[in-house]
């Protein structure tokens, strides 16, 4: 299964208590006799993950000596057959079959070639090439070359190499150079140097290209998309635009492809099937969210209105839910909620970090030790980890200066060149000031493939005014634009207004005012007045984004007296999406910030795969503030220590560094 930032975002998951033999028998019975039980087949296959379906194929062969895919082809017909058979193939073989069909048909299906090759990562491309060779005993590159021509062919061949850079350490100089080269290759040239477009868009990393696109907009006064439309033509322009769209946001690209497959008269069923099958275990939840945002209707409802029969039922299963459906509401007992807020208001927890200044600290000695650890053949990771994780941030800043003074070298640059992977991200994160690190995390959340709304919420709802102001300064210095502008350009509606309000760092800092708290509670409890939901969201924002935490505790207690409901549950009932998540983040920060972070850490390590970005961000940013308290909350909430979870979910030097930051076993 595939994960985005460690969070599973597919709509199809492993079926619990899976039994391949039992499923094989059920499918055999559904196809036995006169006619076939299509309902059973679609229910079973759409509720199993791909690797479970492969096991069913193997079990079917063992039990009955027959090929399950051949039997399904015989029993089923039309679009429903294509969908079900597609689900039974491993992802790489599914892509290979789609490409083969696109090349073999009457004329070439260029849109299919573009969609697959523009959207797959290096690993998926390599798997596709191998699967094509295995399935058809042919070389995919040779077949593509034979069936296409010109610059379109050249770009497809580049994408087929699967050699796009994937380093997220970006050189500002190279970004500026690439943007200038693209400008000179197109807008400023008589004719167009297509080779330059192919080279840059086909080889640079996604993170690098997103910055190139931003820089291009500044120097050209128009978007890269507009220039591509003006400079290139035919299938080549469609391919390059698809590459740009996938670099900017894969989920947005597929949401638009799905919409276009169903809008107007008729349905582009092959496109609809291909996307629903290929993205069901990767990012279907993200695609659904993007679809809802763009078209103000759910993907589920559009499929429901545009298809029919078993085909429709199977597609809806893959969709995984209707984003237009109202959520169910289970209010907590009001008295218990009230007592929790009373406890929150009365408790004054002493916040404590896990990383403290090293005694007998000597920045010169540490700088020399780090230089020695990186000099010569091989790298002494143990020494680097030991020094960086056991110094306070202020001490690390001194080491940076001492290193520069002694060796005339940039310690950050040296660490980048010597370390790699998750270990590199942790240690480089620790070497930044807290404001620089938060600014970088916010930029990643905004500038990445799709917006990481949860990261934006986590940071902006938990930092105090002083921290927010420092982040603003660091963001402006690092990215030459204000944080407010960055948020405004990448978010919309009430969610944008909430984040911008939080990013101003102007929250009141006084204590509670009982009379004002009663008025505030009335203001946000007036959800049954017939006002629009936007009006309700505006009222919540006015109070939750501006009042002091101490005052908000009293507001939330008064809210319970007025409504008999906890404010968090009311938010979940009355609101949805990112707006709901942002308000819940504020409420949980007010109630118990260490518990909020403990829950985020648990989610980052729960299930298959680990969300390293969230794990790193919380451990680094809270290490000198309240990580000790977060550890305690984690143990109380989950009956296992944070140390144990990190140990079981990570490995090697990365694990060692995180455990040092964690600071001990509870």
């Amino acid at each position: 299964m595939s994960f985005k930032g460690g969070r599973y975002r597919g709509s199809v998951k492993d079926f619990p208590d899976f039994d391949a033999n039992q499923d094989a028998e059920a499918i055999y019975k559904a196809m036995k006799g006169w006619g076939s039980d299509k309902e059973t087949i679609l229910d079973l296959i759409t509720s199993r993950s791909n690797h479970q379906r492969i096991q069913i194929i193997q079990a079917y062969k063992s039990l009955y000596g027959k090929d399950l895919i051949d039997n399904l082809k015989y029993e089923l017909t039309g679009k429903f057959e294509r969908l079900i058979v597609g689900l039974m193939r491993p992802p790489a073989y599914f892509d290979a079959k789609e490409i083969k069909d696109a090349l073999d048909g009457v004329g070439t299906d260029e849109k299919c070639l573009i969609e697959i090759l523009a959207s797959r990562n290096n690993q998926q491309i390599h798997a596709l090439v191998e699967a094509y060779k295995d399935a058809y005993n042919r070389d995919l590159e040779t077949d593509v070359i034979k069936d296409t021509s010109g610059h379109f062919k050249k770009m497809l061949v580049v994408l087929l190499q699967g050699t796009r850079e994937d380093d997220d350490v970006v050189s500002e100089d190279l970004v500026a150079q690439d943007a200038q080269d693209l400008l000179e290759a197109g807008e400023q040239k008589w004719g167009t140097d297509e080779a330059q477009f192919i080279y840059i868009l086909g080889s640079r990393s996604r993170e690098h290209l997103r910055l190139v696109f931003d820089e291009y907009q500044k120097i050209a006064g128009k978007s890269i998309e507009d220039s591509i439309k003006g400079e290139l033509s035919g299938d080549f322009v469609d391919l390059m635009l698809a590459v740009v769209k996938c670099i900017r946001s894969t989920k947005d690209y597929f949401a638009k492809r799905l919409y276009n497959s169903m809008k107007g008269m008729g349905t582009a069923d092959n496109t609809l099937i291909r996307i629903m099958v290929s993205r069901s275990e990767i990012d279907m939840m993200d695609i659904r969210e993007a679809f809802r945002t763009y078209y103000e209707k759910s993907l589920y409802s559009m499929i429901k209105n545009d298809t029919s029969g078993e085909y429709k039922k199977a597609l809806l299963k893959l969709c995984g839910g209707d984003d237009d459906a109202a959520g169910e509401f289970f209010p907590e007992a009001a008295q218990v909620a009230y007592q929790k807020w009373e406890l929150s208001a009365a408790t004054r927890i002493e916040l404590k970090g896990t990383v403290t200044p090293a005694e007998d600290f000597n920045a010169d000695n540490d700088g020399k030790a780090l230089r020695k650890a990186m000099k010569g053949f091989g790298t002494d990771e143990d020494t680097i980890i030991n020094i960086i994780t056991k110094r306070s941030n202020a001490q690390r800043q001194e080491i940076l200066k001492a290193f520069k003074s002694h060796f005339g070298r940039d310690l950050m640059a040296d660490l980048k060149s010597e370390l790699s992977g998750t270990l590199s991200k942790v240690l480089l994160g620790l070497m930044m000031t807290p404001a620089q690190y938060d600014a970088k995390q916010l930029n990643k959340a905004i500038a990445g493939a799709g917006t990481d709304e949860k990261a934006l919420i986590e940071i902006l709802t938990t930092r105090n005014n002083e921290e927010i102001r420092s982040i603003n300064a660091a963001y402006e210095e690092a990215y030459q634009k204000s944080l407010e502008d960055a948020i405004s350009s990448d978010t919309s509606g009430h969610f944008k207004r909430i984040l911008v309000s939080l990013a101003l760092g102007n929250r009141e800092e006084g204590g509670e005012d009982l009379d004002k708290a009663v008025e505030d509670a009335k203001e946000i409890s007036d959800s049954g007045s017939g006002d629009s939901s936007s009006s309700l969201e505006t009222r919540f924002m006015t109070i939750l984004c501006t009042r002091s935490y101490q005052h908000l505790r009293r507001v939330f207690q008064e809210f319970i007296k007025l409504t008999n409901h906890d404010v968090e549950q009311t938010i979940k009932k009355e609101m949805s999406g990112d707006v709901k998540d942002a308000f819940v983040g504020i409420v949980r920060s007010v109630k118990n910030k260490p518990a909020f972070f403990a829950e985020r850490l648990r989610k980052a390590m729960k299930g298959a795969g680990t969300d390293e970005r969230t794990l790193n961000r919380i451990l680094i940013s809270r290490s000198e503030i309240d990580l000790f308290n977060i550890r305690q909350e984690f143990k109380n909430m989950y009956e296992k220590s944070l140390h144990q979870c990190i140990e079981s979910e990570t490995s090697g030097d990365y694990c060692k560094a995180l455990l040092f930051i964690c600071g001990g076993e509870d």
Side-chain angles (χ1 to χ4, degrees), residues 187 197 213 216-217 222-232 237 240-246 248 256:
E187 297 287 342
F197 278 82
F213 300 158
Y216 187 90
Q217 177 85 40
K222 61 165 66 175
S223 70
I224 188 70
E225 289 93 335
D226 285 343
S227 287
I228 286 171
K229 288 173 190 173
E231 296 294 324
L232 312 179
V237 71
M240 299 305 262
L241 285 173
V243 169
V244 171
K245 287 172 187 172
C246 287
R248 287 198 189 276
K256 290 172 184 175

Side-chain angles (χ1 to χ4, degrees), residues 145-299:
I145 289 171
K146 186 179 74 176
D147 219 53
T148 57
S149 62
H151 298 297
F152 179 59
K153 173 180 74 176
K154 290 174 187 173
M155 185 61 178
L156 290 177
V157 169
V158 167
L159 294 174
L160 274 171
Q161 306 313 302
T163 53
R164 184 178 296 286
E165 298 163 357
D166 56 10
D167 185 8
D168 68 352
V169 178
V170 177
S171 159
E172 290 180 15
D173 291 342
L174 187 56
V175 165
Q177 185 63 55
D178 280 351
Q180 187 62 39
D181 287 348
L182 287 172
L183 185 62
E184 291 174 2
E187 297 287 342
Q188 294 182 353
K189 186 179 178 68
W190 182 261
T192 306
D193 181 0
E194 288 88 352
Q196 193 71 271
F197 278 82
I198 290 170
Y199 172 68
I200 294 172
L201 268 64
S203 64
R204 299 291 194 233
S205 74
R206 291 172 182 274
E207 186 153 341
H208 174 89
L209 283 173
R210 282 190 282 272
L211 295 175
V212 169
F213 300 158
D214 289 344
E215 181 65 21
Y216 187 90
Q217 177 85 40
K218 288 179 196 169
I219 63 174
K222 61 165 66 175
S223 70
I224 188 70
E225 289 93 335
D226 285 343
S227 287
I228 286 171
K229 288 173 190 173
E231 296 294 324
L232 312 179
S233 61
D235 295 323
F236 185 42
V237 71
D238 292 339
L239 174 57
M240 299 305 262
L241 285 173
V243 169
V244 171
K245 287 172 187 172
C246 287
I247 293 293
R248 287 198 189 276
S249 172
T250 310
K251 66 174 183 176
D252 289 357
Y253 172 71
F254 281 116
K256 290 172 184 175
R257 289 280 293 156
L258 282 168
Y259 180 77
N260 288 335
S261 76
M262 291 181 281
K263 75 173 183 178
M265 295 290 289
T267 303
D269 292 295
N270 286 356
T271 301
L272 177 57
I273 291 167
R274 185 168 56 247
I275 298 173
M276 296 304 292
V277 170
S278 66
R279 310 312 292 188
S280 61
E281 292 183 51
I282 299 177
D283 54 2
M284 185 54 67
M285 303 300 283
D286 294 320
I287 293 167
R288 273 173 40 183
E289 287 175 5
F291 194 99
R292 184 74 186 77
T293 301
Y294 277 114
Y295 306 113
E296 296 183 351
K297 67 170 80 173
S298 68
L299 174 60

Side-chain angles (χ1 to χ4, degrees), residues 367-427:
K368 289 172 186 173
L370 287 170
R371 175 68 176 144
K372 185 179 177 184
M374 293 185 284
K375 199 175 178 185
F377 192 77
T379 304
D380 179 2
E381 284 89 0
D382 279 351
T383 295
I384 298 171
I385 292 167
N386 208 44
I387 291 173
I388 293 176
T389 61
K390 294 182 178 178
R391 304 295 183 267
S392 67
N393 192 270
Q395 290 175 333
R396 293 183 207 119
Q397 303 312 308
E398 289 185 50
I399 295 170
L400 282 170
K401 292 172 188 171
F403 194 90
K404 187 79 170 178
S405 297
H406 274 289
F407 307 110
R409 300 174 66 89
D410 182 340
L411 176 54
M412 292 289 277
D414 282 8
L415 288 169
K416 280 180 189 176
S417 67
E418 292 294 324
L419 304 172
S420 61
T422 47
L423 177 64
S424 171
K425 289 180 171 64
V426 171
L427 296 183

Side-chain angles (χ1 to χ4, degrees), residues 62-74:
S62 298
L63 289 170
Y64 307 110
K66 296 180 178 181
D67 184 282
L68 176 52
I69 287 182
D70 286 345
N71 283 13
L72 286 167
K73 285 180 180 176
Y74 180 79

